[in-house]
Amino acid sequence: MNMMTRRDFLRSSGVGVGLGLGAGLGLSGCAGTMTGDIAPKSGRRVVVIGGGWGGATAARYIRIADPSIDVVLIEPNREFVSCPFSNLVLSGQRTIESLTLSYAGLRARGVTIIHETATAIEPDTKRVRIGQGYLAYDRLVVSPGIDFQWEQVEGLAAARDTVLHAWKAGPQTVELARQIQSMRDGGVFVLTVPPVAYRCPPGPYERICQVAWYLKQNKPKSKVIVLDANQNIVSKTGLFRAAWKAYPNIDYRASQKVIGVDTSTREVRTEFDRVKYDVLNLIPPQRAGAIAVQADLVGADKRWCEVDHVTYESVKQKGVHVIGDATIGLPVPKSGNVANNMGKAAALSIVSLLNGQAVPLMPPGNTCYSWVSDREAIAVVNSYKIENGKVVQIEQKLTPSQSVSVAQRAEGWRQSIWADMLS
Amino acid sequence: MTSSRFAAVFLTAGFFFAAAPGAARSAGPLDDPAFAKVITCAACHGAYGNSRSDMMPIIAGLDPAYFKRQIENYASGRRPSPEMEPYAKEIQFLGLDQIAAYFAAQKRVPTPIRSSAEAAARGKTIAAQCVICHGPDGKGEAARLIPGIAGQPPGYLVQQMFLLKADTRDPGDPMLAAKKALMKIIPDGQFADLAAYYSSLR
């Protein structure tokens, strides 16, 4: 594996400073200090907003397919933390460090990374704003992930720093694990599942397995109450139902949309009920990341971005390609593997367009593993074709049952796809 | 940090400020039209089919006839795999011949997964039974659709041995009957050693 660890990252950063690697490091700092043209463009340039599963892959594949194209990635986080496998942090099976990767591999491929937040997009002048400064582009990739609709749950906006979602792997994941570990035996862990569409359809149900597994081992008098806004388990339904037979501590309640939260009385409110919690994991309703809304890339629903199924160019803004969880309209789940595929297809589309060549048809694919215990996993796989310019599913296949063997392949997938994004 | 990576970083820094305007694109991977058809495969099977993980097989350098037979068997369900059955159908949609030829043309890079020398040495003695088909160097025999297994990741090799032993890979396939019979007489506990040996071959 060529994957860099945190220590390698620190070491390579040090080398970067020694070289005066202004491209990667000198440009970071307070956005307020950036004015004018942050990095004047001399050749052809693609700017990528967001260095997650979609954006990191897009940046990497543009450099692979045509190293003469300058790629600038704007990503506020200095390190990449994998959402897939992060539910295993909640059960103590993994550490967050084991899911934390550096961007050094992308830098080594010539991607310039600016650790800032893009504040606006100006499609007419082909500029991305960062504070008072801007970056010019020929084509733009927007991979903003998701943001939360706090206002959909009464009391949540005011309590958003204390009510955890842990739906973006990082400090919240670690804090939720700590809260679960320090919960009294006999305590109630409440997890709420938002209405579709949301990031990672099977994610909440995998999380339920992991927390239930941990509590069964360590706090046998405790229970997990699941308030699901949906009518049934959204993904891998039969397989999760089968897995939950091992966890009598799960109390699953369908069609229970959370409409309010009160941290002083430690209760969540649904349309029909009030539920007391000791530890709460409220996964709020979601929409595309803020920049997509701000830049008017979202549709009439003000939530998700419609795109061309071949090039991922926004149907609303020319020259702007949107990928990953922020998109809607393709028959694909909001998964890391799909974002990775979209990143590649957008990258090769952009390279083809910038070189005046025909854009190849690149249908996506989805391989998605869920851990149902400390050692067993399940999977769903979807394949697709493109017909008349639209992505169409060929087949969906589930593993026949949960097994150690599937979990071993999940490990293989994790290693391979991380390298496919960041090495 | 290797010296080549060091150099890459250095060149990158220079490139950012000195990219030649309107530079013509040199030959790149997109010049091969098959490249855009196999990008989905890379998520599991690595760049150019050279998987770096323990569980995903290396498909670079596979004999094209063997590759095609496997994809057809995955697609029909004869070689059951929840992962590969859908993707096999996607490959058929994109062009099986072209994709088989693409991976066959890629240079195979052996797995970086290392097993202990002791395990590999034990595996070598067990492998005496395997050379009739897979050859003394584990390179297989394309004419008989016997794959090269030298340098494949050990985790993948072990998993395949279990599938063959249980007759869940291509059940009833006469081409695999001898191999399955052999697997049945090798104790499960020796599979890891056998895999260590074949994965260590170059």
Side-chain angles (χ1 to χ4, degrees):
Chain A
M1 261 336 259
N2 238 343
M3 198 56 69
M4 280 201 150
T5 63
R6 180 191 292 259
R7 199 170 48 209
D8 291 332
F9 166 69
L10 293 172
R11 212 162 45 208
S12 67
S13 299
V15 171
V17 171
L19 286 169
L21 182 55
L25 295 160
L27 291 174
S28 14
C30 176
T33 64
M34 290 189 169
T35 54
D37 192 344
I38 295 164
K41 185 168 88 66
S42 49
R44 300 169 303 165
R45 177 190 287 166
V46 178
V47 172
V48 180
I49 298 177
W53 287 64
T57 307
R60 182 172 181 269
Y61 270 79
I62 291 167
R63 295 291 301 171
I64 287 173
D66 189 345
S68 76
I69 296 172
D70 182 21
V71 177
V72 183
L73 173 63
I74 306 170
E75 163 57 50
N77 294 316
R78 291 190 165 267
E79 291 178 303
F80 177 102
V81 186
S82 174
C83 273
F85 279 62
S86 68
N87 281 331
L88 296 174
V89 174
L90 302 180
S91 52
Q93 299 298 316
R94 302 289 159 110
T95 62
I96 201 79
E97 288 77 17
S98 75
L99 311 177
T100 303
L101 305 160
S102 95
Y103 286 110
L106 290 185
R107 285 199 187 86
R109 285 193 182 272
V111 176
T112 301
I113 305 178
I114 302 179
H115 292 298
E116 293 288 358
T117 300
T119 46
I121 299 167
E122 297 170 357
D124 295 340
T125 53
K126 293 193 171 183
R127 286 175 177 178
V128 175
R129 291 225 156 255
I130 302 174
Q132 299 300 308
Y134 68 87
L135 277 170
Y137 65 79
D138 294 293
R139 292 248 163 202
L140 177 65
V141 177
V142 182
S143 186
I146 51 109
D147 268 321
F148 300 108
Q149 296 180 300
W150 309 106
E151 70 287 355
Q152 299 279 317
V153 179
E154 192 185 340
L156 183 57
R160 60 199 250 183
D161 294 334
T162 51
V163 173
L164 301 175
H165 53 77
W167 215 238
K168 297 181 180 185
Q172 286 221 355
T173 315
V174 175
E175 172 58 16
L176 185 58
R178 193 196 62 75
Q179 288 188 10
I180 294 167
Q181 283 157 20
S182 52
M183 187 172 80
R184 68 184 169 91
D185 189 8
V188 175
F189 173 84
V190 173
L191 182 144
T192 77
V193 185
V196 292
Y198 60 84
R199 162 178 283 176
C200 189
Y205 311 103
E206 179 192 58
R207 179 169 292 184
I208 292 159
C209 291
Q210 289 305 309
V211 176
W213 178 87
Y214 171 82
L215 294 177
K216 187 179 170 185
Q217 309 295 319
N218 298 288
K219 301 176 197 289
K221 292 180 206 149
S222 299
K223 67 174 176 177
V224 177
I225 296 178
V226 183
L227 303 174
D228 193 336
N230 305 287
Q231 291 178 349
N232 199 352
I233 297 169
V234 169
S235 171
K236 304 173 186 161
T237 311
L239 289 166
F240 278 119
R241 288 267 180 209
W244 289 358
K245 291 200 176 116
Y247 306 119
N249 53 355
I250 296 173
D251 174 356
Y252 176 76
R253 305 175 188 179
S255 303
Q256 295 282 319
K257 188 179 173 187
V258 170
I259 57 168
V261 59
D262 187 340
T263 53
S264 62
T265 58
R266 300 184 82 78
E267 332 182 283
V268 286
R269 213 165 60 249
T270 69
E271 286 155 316
F272 314 105
D273 208 358
R274 286 170 183 274
V275 179
K276 287 255 185 206
Y277 62 82
D278 290 280
V279 174
L280 173 61
N281 178 200
L282 196 159
I283 306 169
Q286 295 159 29
R287 59 166 169 76
I291 188 74
V293 179
Q294 194 274 344
D296 193 30
L297 296 167
V298 291
D301 64 356
K302 298 289 175 204
R303 288 180 75 191
W304 308 111
C305 308
E306 204 182 318
V307 294
D308 182 275
H309 288 205
V310 177
T311 63
Y312 296 93
E313 188 166 14
S314 163
V315 299
K316 297 192 77 177
Q317 300 289 359
K318 285 239 169 297
V320 179
H321 301 250
V322 186
I323 56 173
D325 293 344
T327 60
I328 196 88
L330 288 81
V332 299
K334 296 187 185 304
S335 77
N337 204 139
V338 164
N340 165 266
N341 265 296
M342 289 179 170
K344 295 176 202 176
L348 300 194
S349 297
I350 287 168
V351 169
S352 301
L353 290 165
L354 289 178
N355 287 312
Q357 292 165 339
V359 175
L361 294 184
M362 293 168 282
N366 178 55
T367 310
C368 168
Y369 296 95
S370 301
W371 290 76
V372 296
S373 71
D374 58 327
R375 48 196 287 278
E376 292 187 310
I378 57 180
V380 64
V381 181
N382 310 75
S383 66
Y384 302 92
K385 57 187 172 179
I386 297 178
E387 277 181 349
N388 303 317
K390 294 287 178 194
V391 169
V392 179
Q393 179 168 290
I394 297 174
E395 185 177 52
Q396 169 167 292
K397 195 89 185 166
L398 291 151
T399 49
S401 60
Q402 65 193 54
S403 69
V404 172
S405 164
V406 176
Q408 289 170 339
R409 302 204 294 278
E411 272 297 325
W413 171 87
R414 173 186 68 74
Q415 291 172 11
S416 295
I417 201 164
W418 283 0
D420 196 35
M421 294 185 286
L422 293 163
S423 69
Chain B
M1 179 170 277
T2 62
S3 58
S4 64
R5 178 168 268 141
F6 186 94
V9 171
F10 184 78
L11 291 171
T12 297
F15 179 79
F16 183 80
F17 298 108
R25 192 167 73 91
S26 55
L30 270 177
D31 292 344
D32 183 340
F35 179 76
K37 299 190 175 188
V38 301
I39 51 172
T40 296
C41 313
C44 286
H45 293 285
Y48 308 102
N50 277 307
S51 161
R52 305 289 83 192
S53 87
D54 190 25
M55 291 308 298
M56 303 301 178
I58 294 168
I59 54 176
L62 267 191
D63 172 67
Y66 177 79
F67 182 96
K68 284 169 66 175
R69 183 177 164 82
Q70 300 316 307
I71 295 300
E72 283 161 0
N73 286 354
Y74 280 131
S76 70
R78 276 195 297 276
R79 182 175 176 179
S81 164
E83 285 95 337
M84 278 311 297
E85 184 179 325
Y87 285 122
K89 291 172 184 170
E90 187 163 329
I91 290 167
Q92 289 176 325
F93 167 78
L94 289 166
L96 177 53
D97 286 336
Q98 188 185 19
I99 291 172
Y102 178 85
F103 283 118
Q106 304 308 311
K107 185 175 164 47
R108 174 172 289 201
V109 181
T111 180
I113 307 291
R114 290 273 171 271
S115 303
S116 79
E118 292 79 13
R122 287 193 301 269
K124 187 175 182 178
T125 60
I126 308 162
Q129 307 161 85
C130 311
V131 297
I132 304 161
C133 290
H134 286 287
D137 50 6
K139 302 269 193 247
E141 189 183 337
R144 291 165 62 205
L145 293 182
I146 295 164
I149 52 176
Q152 283 287 12
Y156 170 74
L157 291 175
V158 167
Q159 192 156 59
Q160 293 309 305
M161 288 183 229
F162 277 111
L163 292 177
L164 289 162
K165 186 170 199 167
D167 197 18
T168 47
R169 176 173 164 176
D170 304 339
D173 183 346
M175 289 178 66
L176 291 173
K179 172 153 189 162
K180 286 170 181 170
L182 179 57
M183 284 299 136
K184 285 196 172 69
I185 60 167
I186 297 177
D188 292 359
Q190 294 186 353
F191 285 176
D193 290 344
L194 204 47
Y197 171 64
Y198 276 108
S199 69
S200 72
L201 291 182
R202 294 294 176 264

